[in-house]
Amino acid sequence: MKLTNELDYSRLNHLKKEMTRFMLAYKFALDEVSTKINILEEEFQLIHEYNPIEHINTRLKTPESIIKKAHRKNVELSLSSIKENMRDIAGIRINCSFNSDIYKLSEMIQKQRDIEVIEYKDYIQNPKPNGYRSLHLILKIPVFMTDRVEHVFVEMQIRTIAMDFWASLEHKIFYKFNKSVPEKITKELKEAAESANELDQKMENLQKEVNEIKRMDEEFTTPLFNEKNDFNIPLKFLEMMNESSKISLTEV
């Protein structure tokens, strides 16, 4: 009896270590992706005038939620089967101001050599029936452990601030009605999603107009400084003076 208990304890201890290692691999993969995004964000802030990343949020499923989902999806309760069939254990969500920012950021991420894109779903060009718009990527990330290299799936969602607000509200309503949302509310949610998309488009167009005005302003003016005043001198005026001086010198 004592031997049996010792064997059971040893087996449970082994399972605990394997489960801990399993969860750590996903945590480390999430840390890797977060670091990559943070590097891009810091570079945008320090070097470029515009930062497309507004907010970053990460999520790691608990062992309990993993087992529950495995039961729902009829996934075999083994770590190897769960690893292969469940690709959303680790997740990262990035909020951007505009849809164009989403594609720019996605392109940067996909160009990184140690990231393998397993799945790419564009719900911006092809919205879900409920009106949801986002870009979903399944990434495979190498995690270097002490005695092995684990390749772990990380789900990445990139969407606008407006769509993130809509998705958060839709999620709360979905579970409040125990997944049976009345048709009237479903219709209103879809209309709200369309309104959120229209707002995104209007704000992006406004941003383009502002950038164009700024570009024109920078093209035609340049600051000159003296001890007392700041002047904005049109570049065209300087070019005309430059041409005039060349003519004068030729005449002389």
Side-chain angles (χ1 to χ4, degrees), residues 150-164:
E150 296 279 1
H151 291 85
V152 179
F153 294 120
V154 174
E155 181 189 48
M156 177 177 287
Q157 298 178 1
I158 316 176
R159 59 199 190 202
T160 63
I161 301 170
M163 188 51 62
D164 186 64

Side-chain angles (χ1 to χ4, degrees), residues 8 20 40 44 58 60 65 67 73 76 84 88 97 99 102 104 112 116 138 152 170 185 188 207 230 232-233 248:
D8 287 343
T20 301
L40 291 175
F44 275 118
T58 60
L60 185 65
S65 63
I67 292 170
K73 301 294 184 180
E76 180 188 343
E84 182 61 31
D88 63 344
S97 295
N99 285 326
I102 293 175
K104 288 176 187 175
Q112 301 206 17
E116 182 182 353
I138 301 295
V152 179
E170 193 264 356
I185 294 180
E188 290 178 351
Q207 174 75 359
D230 291 349
N232 282 327
I233 309 298
S248 300

Side-chain angles (χ1 to χ4, degrees), residues 74-105:
N74 294 318
V75 174
E76 180 188 343
L77 287 180
S78 68
L79 296 183
S80 59
S81 180
I82 290 171
K83 180 180 177 181
E84 182 61 31
N85 293 287
M86 293 179 61
R87 300 182 173 184
D88 63 344
I89 293 174
I92 182 166
R93 183 182 305 134
I94 306 170
N95 292 344
C96 297
S97 295
F98 310 112
N99 285 326
S100 59
D101 293 336
I102 293 175
Y103 290 111
K104 288 176 187 175
L105 185 59

Side-chain angles (χ1 to χ4, degrees), residues 68-234:
K68 286 180 181 178
K69 184 166 184 178
H71 276 299
R72 290 199 309 270
K73 301 294 184 180
N74 294 318
V75 174
E76 180 188 343
L77 287 180
S78 68
L79 296 183
S80 59
S81 180
I82 290 171
K83 180 180 177 181
E84 182 61 31
N85 293 287
M86 293 179 61
R87 300 182 173 184
D88 63 344
I89 293 174
I92 182 166
R93 183 182 305 134
I94 306 170
N95 292 344
C96 297
S97 295
F98 310 112
N99 285 326
S100 59
D101 293 336
I102 293 175
Y103 290 111
K104 288 176 187 175
L105 185 59
S106 170
E107 185 179 355
M108 292 177 195
I109 293 165
Q110 292 182 65
K111 283 182 177 179
Q112 301 206 17
R113 294 181 181 179
D114 57 343
I115 290 180
E116 182 182 353
V117 180
I118 302 299
E119 193 174 281
Y120 178 96
K121 291 185 178 179
D122 189 343
Y123 295 117
I124 299 172
Q125 296 297 323
N126 303 287
K128 288 189 175 183
N130 63 356
Y132 173 74
R133 287 174 167 83
S134 181
L135 198 65
H136 288 198
L137 304 171
I138 301 295
L139 310 174
K140 184 180 279 188
I141 309 297
V143 177
F144 295 87
M145 312 287 280
T146 56
D147 61 345
R148 69 184 82 175
V149 179
E150 296 279 1
H151 291 85
V152 179
F153 294 120
V154 174
E155 181 189 48
M156 177 177 287
Q157 298 178 1
I158 316 176
R159 59 199 190 202
T160 63
I161 301 170
M163 188 51 62
D164 186 64
F165 172 71
W166 179 91
S168 176
L169 180 61
E170 193 264 356
H171 181 78
K172 291 175 183 177
I173 292 173
F174 191 74
Y175 280 95
K176 188 171 184 178
F177 283 95
N178 196 25
K179 303 181 183 181
S180 299
V181 183
E183 185 178 348
K184 179 178 180 294
I185 294 180
T186 301
K187 182 180 178 181
E188 290 178 351
L189 275 171
K190 185 172 184 179
E191 291 174 356
E194 295 297 332
S195 297
N197 183 55
E198 289 176 8
L199 176 62
D200 281 335
Q201 292 177 352
K202 286 181 180 179
M203 295 304 291
E204 183 157 4
N205 289 337
L206 180 60
Q207 174 75 359
K208 288 177 181 177
E209 288 182 26
V210 170
N211 287 339
E212 181 62 19
I213 292 171
K214 184 179 178 183
R215 186 190 68 79
M216 295 291 291
D217 185 60
E218 290 175 349
E219 181 178 340
F220 286 99
T221 64
T222 185
L224 294 181
F225 303 95
N226 60 25
E227 294 179 357
K228 296 181 179 180
N229 300 298
D230 291 349
F231 298 100
N232 282 327
I233 309 298

